[in-house]
Amino acid sequence: MATERPDLAAMLYPLVRDLIALELPVLAAHNVSMWGYSVLTALDDTPVRTQAALAEAIGADKSRIIGTLDELQQAGLIERTPDPADRRARLLSITPQGRKIRRTVRKEIQAQEEQVLTTLAPADRKTFVRILQELHASR
Amino acid sequence: MATERPDLAAMLYPLVRDLIALELPVLAAHNVSMWGYSVLTALDDTPVRTQAALAEAIGADKSRIIGTLDELQQAGLIERTPDPADRRARLLSITPQGRKIRRTVRKEIQAQEEQVLTTLAPADRKTFVRILQELHASR
DNA sequence: GCCTATCGTAAGCGTCAGCATATGATTGCG
DNA sequence: CGCAATCATATGCTGACGCTTACGATAGGC
């Protein structure tokens, strides 16, 4: 029973901090904000949805996400078409260009991430990512 | 080569979010702020130091940490004594009471944390914590 | 057909973080 | 001695976030 360890959050937070610091330059290079990237990711993984649902999915505020969507739309990375079935709602979808950018950015980000894991043994590195994926999938 | 996975940050961030949500009630129950707990932890692990160094150690702003120190001092959880060798500096130390609170809080927090990990197989749970500790130690 | 709920949008609120700057006490170098 | 550096502290700025309220358009139950 190893009670003598730092809290999970105390260990994870600096890690996330580092990761974000690595991500920012990549995002900036592609003119995408963190929220923007978050939106692209969500839309690429699970296409259509309503804005409120999208906001909740990425843990953002319904009203604060609008500016982000405006930018993305103006940049041609997403489309916002009125739902013919319910004209209150806007169907959100990622454009081919948006998909392309999202995947490029992801590739670059994941390359950066390796830096953070370099101190780990290769086996541990794989295990860590695997367990993390499980944790993430089970939310 | 499993390129098809979410970014580390995308998986870690919600996790940290959840963890913090679990921590807040515990901290509130003991009248300690997040920063305060962070300070107590740092001081308990590595006793004396100067305020600027402490601030940097916990990733806080040098000036924004002062209010936290004031509160902790007033609550009798830390001591701020002028360094006799350099009267500009204040030697920071945790009091027995502060140490007691810190350890109580940590115990309760770590109990909460288990909830987040319940979806993992027991073996994975241990492995995850172990790797995380390695990552944390190698910073 | 009405009333309530939902959706996107806009605006305002208080909070908090990071950043910069200023000041007063003190130190240490030259 | 005197000057630059260091430390704790105070303060103000800016930007982000979460939360709340309001509003117009629209749907859907009754």
Side-chain angles (χ1 to χ4, degrees), chain A residues 21-32:
Chain A
L22 289 175
E23 289 190 10
L24 286 179
V26 176
L27 291 171
H30 292 274
N31 285 308
V32 187

Side-chain angles (χ1 to χ4, degrees), chain B residues 17 50-52 62-64 66 70 80 88-90:
Chain B
R17 223 185 173 82
T50 167
Q51 286 188 198
K62 180 182 52 170
S63 49
R64 290 288 160 189
I66 297 179
D70 289 346
R80 239 189 313 195
R88 291 170 304 181
R90 311 292 176 90

Side-chain angles (χ1 to χ4, degrees), chain A residues 35 59-64 83-88:
Chain A
W35 286 119
D61 191 90
K62 179 182 57 169
S63 48
R64 288 289 159 188
D83 184 345
D86 181 346
R87 300 222 303 281
R88 291 172 304 181

Side-chain angles (χ1 to χ4, degrees), chain A residues 36-49 54 57-58 77-78 92-95 98-100 102-103 106 110 133 136-137, chain B residues 3-7 10-11:
Chain A
Y37 178 59
S38 191
V39 167
L40 289 181
T41 300
L43 286 184
D44 196 7
D45 290 344
T46 319
V48 286
R49 270 222 233 71
L54 172 68
I58 65 176
L77 307 185
I78 66 167
L92 298 172
S93 57
I94 192 169
T95 65
R99 184 168 280 119
K100 196 176 146 210
R102 186 252 164 152
R103 301 198 171 175
R106 185 175 61 180
Q110 297 198 356
Q133 279 183 271
H136 183 249
Chain B
T3 2
E4 210 53 42
R5 62 154 175 88
D7 304 334
M11 296 190 286

Side-chain angles (χ1 to χ4, degrees), chain B residues 49-96:
Chain B
R49 268 221 233 74
T50 167
Q51 286 188 198
L54 172 68
E56 207 216 323
I58 64 175
D61 191 88
K62 180 182 52 170
S63 49
R64 290 288 160 189
I65 200 188
I66 297 179
T68 306
L69 294 179
D70 289 346
E71 290 170 20
L72 290 175
Q73 188 180 20
Q74 219 164 357
L77 307 185
I78 66 167
E79 266 179 355
R80 239 189 313 195
T81 46
D83 185 344
D86 181 346
R87 300 220 303 281
R88 291 170 304 181
R90 311 292 176 90
L91 292 181
L92 297 172
S93 58
I94 192 170
T95 65

Side-chain angles (χ1 to χ4, degrees), chain A residues 1 6-8 21-22 27 32 39 52-53 55 66 74 77-78 91 121 123 130 132:
Chain A
M1 213 182 283
D7 304 333
L8 290 186
L22 289 175
L27 291 171
V32 187
V39 167
I66 297 179
Q74 218 165 357
L77 307 185
I78 66 167
L91 293 181
R130 174 183 64 77
L132 204 51

